[in-house]
């Protein structure tokens, strides 16, 4: 079972502006059937975990809830759920991961965002892979990609139209040099 952080980022390491805008991202060109694209990625995924701001962004901007996989939202607040969704709320990132792994039934768990939450999982040794599509834009400030110190091993890199797509393995103690899965 693999836990992924799959996200797009500005070249200077932000996944959204301070105001949670993704306008800079959606104006870029990306081939949905090209290297490291979302449709093939999400087929590996059996459960999702996300922070409250990512969840609220999806509710406000994402249209209908399209995820069939069970989703855990980390929050201290009471938030609504879209019709037909399988969304659970948690204040315990470790427990949410344990439950998501169980629900995923051998498929992957996707940490959708934000970077702080992905970092929390990396620090806890629960994050296995980081996939980042870098857009040709700098934002100067915003919501950080991965605001923790973590060693990564580059497993794959490809161009997808405007993006440099990268895939890294999170280096955990005792795993250096073991190569990709
Ligand atoms: N570029 C991309 O591909 C991409 C991908 C994903 C997300 N995004 C965007 O990036 C932004 C991410 O926002 P963000 O950096 O603020 O991160 P976030 O993780 O989405 O939201 C942070 C909030 O989640 C809650 N939270 C996080 N960890 C928690 C924990 N361990 N326990 C309890 N609650 C927890 C807290 O909210 P409360 O305390 O208020 O409940 C916290 O303030 C969003 O705008 C999202 O749309 C972009």
């Amino acid at each position: 079972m693999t836990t992924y952080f799959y996200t797009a980022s500005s070249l200077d390491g932000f996944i959204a502006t301070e105001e949670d805008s993704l306008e800079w991202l959606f104006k870029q060109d990306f081939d949905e059937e090209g290297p490291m694209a979302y449709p093939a990625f999400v087929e590996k995924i059996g459960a999702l975990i996300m922070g409250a701001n990512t969840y609220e962004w999806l509710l406000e901007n994402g249209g209908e809830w399209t995820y069939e996989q069970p989703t855990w939202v980390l929050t201290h607040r009471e938030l609504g759920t879209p019709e037909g969704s399988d969304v659970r709320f948690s204040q315990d990132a470790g427990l949410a991961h344990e439950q998501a792994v169980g629900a995923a039934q051998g498929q992957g768990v996707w940490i959708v965002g934000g970077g702080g939450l992905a970092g929390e999982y990396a620090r806890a040794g629960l994050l296995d892979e980081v996939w980042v599509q870098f857009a040709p834009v700098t934002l100067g400030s915003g919501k950080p990609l991965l605001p923790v110190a973590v060693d990564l091993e580059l497993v794959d890199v490809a161009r997808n139209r405007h993006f440099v797509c990268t895939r890294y393995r999170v280096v955990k103690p005792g795993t250096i040099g073991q190569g990709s899965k």
Side-chain angles (χ1 to χ4, degrees), residues 1-178:
M1 202 293 305
T2 305
T3 298
Y4 303 90
F5 180 35
Y6 176 98
T7 188
S9 173
S10 69
L11 195 57
D12 55 346
F14 299 105
I15 64 169
T17 68
E18 293 290 1
E19 299 77 31
D20 292 305
S21 170
L22 296 180
E23 210 176 312
W24 55 274
L25 177 60
F26 292 126
K27 72 181 183 188
Q28 312 293 339
D29 190 20
F30 189 72
D31 178 2
E32 291 294 349
E33 297 192 350
M36 295 193 235
Y38 174 77
F41 169 77
V42 81
E43 279 182 17
K44 307 170 192 284
I45 299 303
L48 277 59
I49 303 178
M50 62 184 74
N53 293 343
T54 297
Y55 178 65
E56 289 189 301
W57 187 95
L58 285 168
L59 293 188
E60 285 161 25
N61 304 280
E64 257 181 54
W65 188 263
T66 55
Y67 300 111
E68 289 171 6
Q69 301 92 335
T71 298
W72 277 257
V73 175
L74 273 297
T75 185
H76 302 96
R77 292 172 289 145
E78 280 195 24
L79 301 170
T81 50
E83 204 168 314
S85 65
D86 184 353
V87 173
R88 305 108 195 258
F89 300 100
S90 176
Q91 293 192 16
D92 184 330
L95 182 61
H97 184 263
E98 199 179 304
Q99 292 170 340
V101 168
Q105 298 186 328
Q107 286 196 289
V109 172
W110 175 22
I111 313 301
V112 185
L117 184 57
E120 203 176 316
Y121 285 120
R123 294 287 292 270
L126 296 173
L127 186 65
D128 301 300
E129 293 197 10
V130 178
W131 295 39
V132 188
Q133 302 89 47
F134 286 100
V137 59
T138 57
L139 297 175
S141 64
K143 300 293 179 82
L145 170 63
L146 203 47
V148 296
V150 52
D151 283 324
L152 303 166
E153 178 188 352
L154 182 64
V155 174
D156 198 5
V157 62
R159 177 177 182 168
N160 185 321
R161 296 193 180 156
H162 287 177
F163 290 82
V164 176
C165 302
T166 58
R167 176 181 165 203
Y168 304 89
R169 189 173 63 82
V170 178
V171 177
K172 300 176 191 173
T175 64
I176 292 172
Q178 285 185 4

